Amino acid sequence: TPFFYSQMFYYDINYDTEHNSRFNNINVQEWSNYLDDLANPTEVDFLLNKASKGYIDSAIADLGTVYSVSPPATYSLGIVGKGKNEKVKSFFSYLSHAKACESFAVKENEYWDYEKKETGVSNGDTKLYHSMNRAFTDSKDEFIRQRYWFQLVRYNFYFNVTAAIALFEKYKDSFAKNSIYYRTMASAAGALYKQ
């Protein structure tokens, strides 16, 4: 199996086109386990992989309410009605940050397109970074903290490789060695490669 994924025909595989979806299933499974009976996996999959940042922000405005002025699609999700639960609040807060990071971290590149694509964000969004860092620091929930760690290391991969490496090294022994740990490690490795 590949150690480094490539757009070339290495390892007896075709072009690698799974950059944006490689971890979707495991991510849905881990969040579904974390949320337990608060949301079904179909809702979790929709929120993680299909909903826009605007949709998530609308859902946050409706958390825990019975009646809503938002579109029915937002408050028809069962999890939105459970918004008074701390895990649900943490999930949506994290998700709002993660969706903001997609603007520079999730790219639709074609294997045949050799031009370097600009992310549209040249120096990063410092307000976003500080907000995620505050959430990381303030959270007492290790599941949530680890995911913010991932977002912060990934953010720094794009905008400050030295900080990405330092942040990974500082907390690498603090978290469980699970899929998000290794995704964080991949961003740190990418930062080392860039360096």
Side-chain angles (χ1 to χ4, degrees), residues 152-161 164 186-191 194:
L152 290 165
V153 172
R154 183 170 74 159
Y155 176 97
N156 282 316
F157 164 79
Y158 289 99
F159 305 112
N160 185 344
V161 293
S187 290
K194 270 184 166 182

Side-chain angles (χ1 to χ4, degrees), residues 86-164:
E86 286 304 313
K87 282 187 173 184
V88 173
K89 287 181 194 174
S90 295
F91 171 62
F92 276 98
S93 177
Y94 169 81
L95 199 50
S96 180
H97 288 111
K99 292 290 180 177
C101 290
E102 287 180 0
S103 66
F104 54 84
V106 178
K107 301 174 191 159
E108 294 294 332
N109 291 335
E110 297 295 334
Y111 68 88
W112 46 262
D113 187 0
Y114 298 104
E115 298 296 320
K116 183 176 178 176
K117 300 280 193 237
E118 294 301 321
T119 62
V121 183
S122 59
N123 296 321
D125 179 344
T126 56
K127 185 177 175 185
L128 170 64
Y129 182 82
H130 291 304
S131 180
M132 288 191 301
N133 197 45
R134 188 171 41 256
F136 171 71
T137 303
D138 292 347
S139 179
K140 305 295 182 232
D141 185 317
E142 288 304 301
F143 183 88
I144 297 294
R145 277 180 51 80
Q146 188 175 25
R147 275 151 176 76
Y148 275 116
W149 178 56
F150 163 70
Q151 291 296 342
L152 290 165
V153 172
R154 183 170 74 159
Y155 176 97
N156 282 316
F157 164 79
Y158 289 99
F159 305 112
N160 185 344
V161 293
T162 304

Side-chain angles (χ1 to χ4, degrees), residues 31-61:
W31 276 107
S32 294
N33 291 342
Y34 172 76
L35 292 166
D36 198 24
D37 61 346
L38 297 167
N40 67 56
T42 303
E43 286 183 358
V44 174
D45 179 49
F46 170 75
L47 292 167
L48 290 171
N49 301 317
K50 297 172 186 78
S52 67
K53 172 139 175 43
Y55 187 100
I56 298 302
D57 291 342
S58 293
I60 288 171

Side-chain angles (χ1 to χ4, degrees), residues 177-194:
K177 307 292 190 284
N178 52 24
S179 70
I180 201 75
Y181 177 90
Y182 291 109
R183 289 175 67 192
T184 309
M185 179 188 278
S187 290
L192 282 165
Y193 182 79
K194 270 184 166 182

